[in-house]
Amino acid sequence: MSVLLIDTEGFGGIDEHTNHDTKIFLFALLLSSFFIYNSVGSIDENALNNLSLIVNLAKDIQFKASGSNPSESDDVSQFFPSFLWIIRDFALRLVDGANNPITPKEYLETALQPQKGVSDSIESKNRVRRLLKHFFRDRDCATMVRPVENEKELQRLDEMDESSFRTEFVEQLKAIRNKIFKKVKPKTLNGKCLTGPMLVEICKAYAETINSGKVPNIESAWTYLCQQQSYKALTGKLNSSLLQIY
């Protein structure tokens, strides 16, 4: 199985317009089968608030065309990728309230538990948590320590050999890489695995929709893809007929 990796920029580019992040993350969500989000430090309210952009985009993506009667099977979360949250420069101890060891995934699930209270602020925080759990049902977490201790060396990591990194960091990096390649799967749509050419056509469909300022519609994109594939198949048959005639 071949794997296509798409590396996108992060949030809040200072030289981009306000909806730049929106377009980037819509594409990442809609085209990925495995979505890797990385942040620094720990999972706190600021980290969850940064992800509110993603979940607010997710709730606006449509499955069927407007005017169609929705059903439970039309929930767009079924089309969303697996989610892996990688936390870099992680320095906390992975333990629960009783000081028992926990896994990074358990740490994530704890962070996504509803906060107690009835204020508007608490409801806003819990809404982000609910949406994250709803749209990313297959989710996991991995933590990584700083690769080196020396601050100056952080500026030249791309020039350094693996042997210069902390042993714990190298072990965590290998474990994450193994996790990704064990869980990554082909991109599918409506139960069909997408080939390279099919993925290109889906990209075109989503690009036209997003650039026109409209909400992506999965059913419309699938219809567009089927039309393009049918046209290519028909064109191929016509070309074969012409060759036979000559």
Side-chain angles (χ1 to χ4, degrees):
M1 178 184 68
S2 59
V3 177
L4 173 64
L5 302 178
I6 303 175
D7 182 20
T8 73
E9 61 187 81
F11 294 110
I14 59 175
D15 57 344
E16 301 294 348
H17 49 78
T18 55
N19 67 345
H20 182 73
D21 289 343
T22 301
K23 293 182 178 182
I24 291 292
F25 280 91
L26 273 177
F27 274 117
L29 285 174
L30 291 168
L31 298 177
S32 299
S33 63
F34 197 91
F35 186 88
I36 303 173
Y37 175 77
N38 78 85
S39 63
V40 177
S42 62
I43 300 179
D44 55 17
E45 288 303 326
N46 287 331
L48 290 172
N49 283 336
N50 284 336
L51 278 176
S52 64
L53 169 65
I54 292 178
V55 295
N56 282 320
L57 292 175
K59 68 180 180 60
D60 289 332
I61 296 173
Q62 300 175 356
F63 172 64
K64 287 189 174 181
S66 58
S68 302
N69 294 323
S71 65
E72 290 185 6
S73 63
D74 298 337
D75 185 354
V76 295
S77 65
Q78 65 180 300
F79 298 99
F80 272 55
S82 299
F83 178 78
L84 175 64
W85 191 336
I86 297 179
I87 310 173
R88 308 189 330 269
D89 299 355
F90 188 78
L92 300 179
R93 293 178 60 220
L94 283 174
V95 295
D96 61 16
N99 210 35
N100 297 312
I102 60 174
T103 64
K105 178 176 174 59
E106 291 171 330
Y107 171 67
L108 171 61
E109 296 303 319
T110 299
L112 294 178
Q113 289 298 309
Q115 301 294 291
K116 296 180 180 180
V118 294
S119 67
D120 290 342
S121 175
I122 292 296
E123 173 54 30
S124 177
K125 294 176 181 178
N126 287 339
R127 178 176 175 276
V128 173
R129 288 169 164 81
R130 287 195 302 270
L131 289 173
L132 278 171
K133 292 167 71 173
H134 174 74
F135 287 112
F136 298 111
R137 299 184 182 184
D138 179 19
R139 54 186 180 271
D140 203 347
C141 180
T143 59
M144 302 180 70
V145 298
R146 268 193 174 188
V148 292
E149 295 286 2
N150 190 310
E151 292 285 344
K152 293 183 179 179
E153 290 181 339
L154 290 173
Q155 307 300 320
R156 46 181 293 271
L157 292 177
D158 58 334
E159 304 172 3
M160 298 173 61
D161 188 78
E162 184 179 287
S163 60
S164 302
F165 298 149
R166 295 168 64 183
T167 302
E168 186 179 0
F169 172 83
V170 174
E171 292 174 350
Q172 291 171 337
L173 180 62
K174 291 179 179 178
I176 291 173
R177 184 164 51 198
N178 290 335
K179 179 192 293 285
I180 292 171
F181 281 98
K182 283 181 179 179
K183 292 196 66 175
V184 71
K185 53 190 177 183
K187 176 64 179 176
T188 62
L189 192 58
N190 279 2
K192 305 293 184 181
C193 289
L194 300 183
T195 64
M198 292 168 73
L199 186 62
V200 170
E201 296 297 342
I202 284 290
C203 286
K204 290 179 181 177
Y206 287 142
E208 291 175 2
T209 301
I210 293 172
N211 288 332
S212 66
K214 298 178 181 178
V215 176
N217 182 283
I218 294 172
E219 187 180 55
S220 296
W222 176 253
T223 300
Y224 174 87
L225 174 60
C226 291
Q227 290 173 342
Q228 293 300 311
Q229 293 298 304
S230 298
Y231 174 77
K232 289 181 178 179
L234 178 61
T235 303
K237 289 180 180 179
L238 289 176
N239 288 341
S240 298
S241 300
L242 290 172
L243 287 173
Q244 291 175 2
I245 291 173
Y246 284 99

